[in-house]
Amino acid sequence: MVQAKTWILVKHFDGFPKDSDFELKVEELPEPKDGEVLLEAVFLSVDPYMRPFSRVRMKEGDVMIGTQVAKVLQSKNPAFPVGSHVIGRGGWRTHTVSDGADLTPIMPDWPQDLSLSLALGTIGMPGLTALFGIEEVLGLQKGETLLVNAAAGAVGTVVGQIAKIKGCKVVGSAGSDAKVAYLKELGFDEAFNYKTVGSLDEALKKASPEGYDCFFENVGGPFWTAATQQMKNFGRIAVCGGIATYNDTTPKTCPYPHLTMIFKQLKVEGFMQSRWEHKHPESLKRLMGWVKEGKLKYREHVTKGFDNMPAAFMGLLQGENIGKAVIAS
């Protein structure tokens, strides 16, 4: 018998998550049956989406949702041989028995010198989110100007770099001077710390006096209001996230954007990367290619120890990470 540690959502989050909202439990796993595999988590992901999704996709007492890179310890399924690695959606747990339906093998020919944790980040869901937001939603063209907020996060860092690969001007906003310095290192044309600028409007105007063709939106709140005012006519906005609002106990109101959207004839589209699941294999190969060529750089914020997952999650929501936040179990 294998024992699995799991993190349970004891109580739905009310405002910012607290330690008492989580409980560490141990469960005995049965032996794998025909068609099943036993997995051990190697790297686990914490992502901002878990905060809003926990309310709509989970009930109290469930294991926290999430993805992980796992190693196959036992297998009665020929598609997943012992010793191979997979991406699984088993949530916050150290071990899982799976029938394989929710597993994706790690891309073949994964380079030896590249950490498998990147399959949760730059060459995984966040990277795909960046790519599809730019290509499928925004239709970003060479020579255009793109604005991205939460730019030093797992998605934002990839958004900016792909836009540079496509020959665009890129402006990024982040929440610390260290993050701004990292964005400059990645090749962003302009970057600013939204917490220290006197005026968001002025900072956005200064970074791109001519305005913005495209806006990759990850934050919401006052930034949304300021950014929409700086869009060019016929500008396009990809709404990927709203991290500024995830922990609100009562919904925020902001100036209604209708007249700005009408006068500027803006196109606004919300999206999730799962819409283009049929393109995942080829898109992951493209991301991997850019990483190998040195065109797509990455940084990870690694927390050691499965027991520290709630702390890592709360740290993420407070903006402690540069790049992708992962747990090494």
Side-chain angles (χ1 to χ4, degrees), residues 3 8 19 41 92 102 210 255 294 300:
Q3 286 193 326
I8 305 294
D19 286 326
W92 295 15
D102 65 341
E210 68 281 5
E300 294 179 304

Side-chain angles (χ1 to χ4, degrees), residues 220-226 228 245 251-258:
F223 197 106
W224 161 267
T225 303
T228 51
T245 64
K252 278 195 178 83
T253 57
C254 63
Y256 297 111
H258 298 67

Side-chain angles (χ1 to χ4, degrees), residues 29-101:
L29 294 182
E31 285 293 312
K33 301 189 189 85
D34 283 346
E36 293 183 336
V37 293
L38 172 65
L39 305 171
E40 180 177 56
V42 181
F43 295 105
L44 299 103
S45 183
V46 284
D47 300 280
Y49 80 81
M50 293 170 177
R51 175 61 183 85
F53 272 50
S54 68
R55 176 64 68 173
V56 294
R57 299 277 176 94
M58 294 180 64
K59 59 184 186 297
E60 291 175 352
D62 285 353
V63 175
M64 275 295 295
I65 54 174
T67 52
Q68 58 176 248
V69 172
K71 185 176 182 178
V72 179
L73 296 185
Q74 295 178 37
S75 178
K76 294 184 178 176
N77 184 328
F80 305 104
V82 170
S84 64
H85 289 85
V86 297
I87 299 159
R89 293 193 284 272
W92 295 15
R93 51 191 308 129
T94 57
H95 296 81
T96 310
V97 172
S98 169
D99 64 2

Side-chain angles (χ1 to χ4, degrees), residues 220-298:
F223 197 106
W224 161 267
T225 303
T228 51
Q229 301 296 325
Q230 305 302 325
M231 297 300 292
K232 294 182 184 179
N233 290 340
F234 307 106
R236 292 100 69 201
I237 302 175
V239 182
C240 173
I243 197 167
T245 64
Y246 289 168
N247 294 301
D248 292 347
T249 47
T250 53
K252 278 195 178 83
T253 57
C254 63
Y256 297 111
H258 298 67
L259 285 179
T260 302
M261 290 171 68
I262 292 164
F263 292 155
K264 291 179 179 283
Q265 301 184 69
L266 303 179
K267 179 182 174 185
V268 180
E269 183 176 345
F271 76 101
M272 293 189 285
Q273 53 81 28
S274 52
R275 193 195 311 180
W276 298 279
E277 198 159 353
H278 60 289
K279 291 191 173 185
H280 281 191
E282 65 185 83
S283 301
L284 290 169
K285 282 179 188 165
R286 291 175 65 201
L287 292 165
M288 175 65 86
W290 285 328
V291 168
K292 283 180 176 175
E293 290 166 24
K295 292 179 180 175
L296 190 52
K297 299 180 175 65
Y298 58 87

